[in-house]
Amino acid sequence: MSPSEKTFAELKPPSSKNRQPWKYIVVQGDAKEEMLRGFRQGIEREENECALLPQSKRYIAAAKHTVDLMEAAPTIVLVVNSIGKNEMGEMTPEEHVYEICNIQSIGASIQNMLLAATEKGIGSLWICDAYYEDGCFYIITYAASNKMKQIDHNPIVAVAGEWFTAHGKGINLGWFCKKENHEMAQKLRQAFSEWIDNGHNNFDDENTIILCIQLTEGTLFSHGTRYDIDFSDN
């Protein structure tokens, strides 16, 4: 199912002062391939030439993986701030406030798109880092987030990666630093060593938790062959 103007209009996201700053660009086929070539050229520049974001080089591996995921998707929807200001330029205090509000409105529109896709049975992806072990994915997240509230209400979740999709049950293992999570926390620290201590995680906050996704079944595509995987015996 291809996105349409009607599909987006039905989402009715909230908008600060009804400015509706979002613009949706649907990319498919040859246009998608051309776009991804541009993304890869940008990554190569950041990696080997004069980088625009030199302090973000540690995230290049994740950027490459993101492009691989986008290549596997049949449709990409770019959400653009159509009235956004130049972040490198000067803004008045009012313009700065407006920019923050507009970004919040755009974030709400993206969330509505994901919720609508889930309701219609359409696969969508919000990218995050996960560690896999023995039929489970482990993720560092925040207990008070809407995502965790949804999982508490309905623990059945879906995951997607490069040529891999699966379903499973979301289990809140509790605070990252509690004694029972010590072994897994050490594994996550090692797996996510490039970014885990960059200031985005507050491990003194007991809402910083480990989410375990216990897989039930999955599908893997490898070299043109499909493999259906039953995780129930793990």
Side-chain angles (χ1 to χ4, degrees):
M1 172 181 170
S2 298
S4 66
E5 291 184 5
K6 181 180 179 181
T7 301
F8 294 136
E10 288 173 347
L11 299 177
K12 298 179 182 178
S15 171
S16 175
K17 305 302 180 185
N18 201 31
R19 281 189 288 266
Q20 301 184 25
W22 48 76
K23 178 181 179 180
Y24 304 106
I25 302 175
V26 180
V27 187
Q28 297 174 313
D30 293 341
K32 189 191 80 170
E33 295 306 317
E34 182 179 355
M35 181 190 72
L36 294 180
R37 281 196 295 271
F39 284 179
R40 290 194 172 95
Q41 289 172 0
I43 291 172
E44 184 176 356
R45 179 202 64 220
E46 293 296 303
E47 191 172 23
N48 301 314
E49 300 176 15
C50 183
L52 294 178
L53 304 171
Q55 296 182 23
S56 297
K57 283 193 172 183
R58 56 183 171 172
Y59 303 121
I60 284 178
K64 291 178 179 178
H65 183 57
T66 298
V67 173
D68 289 339
L69 291 174
M70 294 171 75
E71 185 171 39
T75 300
I76 297 172
V77 181
L78 303 177
V79 187
V80 180
N81 183 355
S82 60
I83 58 175
K85 298 292 184 179
N86 182 358
E87 293 184 356
M88 303 301 178
E90 294 185 0
M91 288 188 284
T92 66
E94 287 87 354
E95 288 174 330
H96 185 70
V97 172
Y98 295 162
E99 191 74 0
I100 293 173
C101 293
N102 291 339
I103 291 171
Q104 289 177 326
S105 299
I106 291 170
S109 77
I110 295 171
Q111 179 72 358
N112 278 12
M113 290 172 66
L114 296 177
L115 292 172
T118 299
E119 184 179 3
K120 294 176 181 291
I122 302 171
S124 61
L125 176 61
W126 192 300
I127 297 170
C128 68
D129 293 310
Y131 169 75
Y132 176 82
E133 181 178 291
D134 296 334
C136 297
F137 282 109
Y138 295 88
I139 301 163
I140 301 173
T141 188
Y142 198 68
S145 66
N146 286 333
K147 173 179 65 180
M148 286 307 304
K149 292 177 182 178
Q150 292 166 2
I151 290 175
D152 288 341
H153 178 69
N154 180 7
I156 305 303
V157 300
V159 297
E162 186 178 1
W163 307 111
F164 175 75
T165 60
H167 291 89
K169 178 181 180 181
I171 304 171
N172 183 348
L173 298 183
W175 184 32
F176 182 89
C177 295
K178 77 175 184 178
K179 182 179 179 180
E180 293 84 351
N181 286 335
H182 176 75
E183 182 177 352
M184 180 52 62
Q186 293 303 108
K187 293 178 180 179
L188 294 177
R189 281 194 173 278
Q190 182 176 358
F192 304 146
S193 59
E194 290 188 355
W195 55 261
I196 194 169
D197 290 318
N198 64 1
H200 286 85
N201 297 301
N202 178 8
F203 294 113
D204 291 329
D205 185 344
E206 294 191 8
N207 278 315
T208 301
I209 62 166
I210 299 175
L211 169 64
C212 170
I213 299 177
Q214 191 176 70
L215 300 179
T216 53
E217 74 276 343
T219 301
L220 172 68
F221 291 91
S222 178
H223 302 287
T225 302
R226 170 176 172 152
Y227 299 91
D228 293 316
I229 307 170
D230 183 0
F231 291 93
S232 60
D233 293 333
N234 290 337

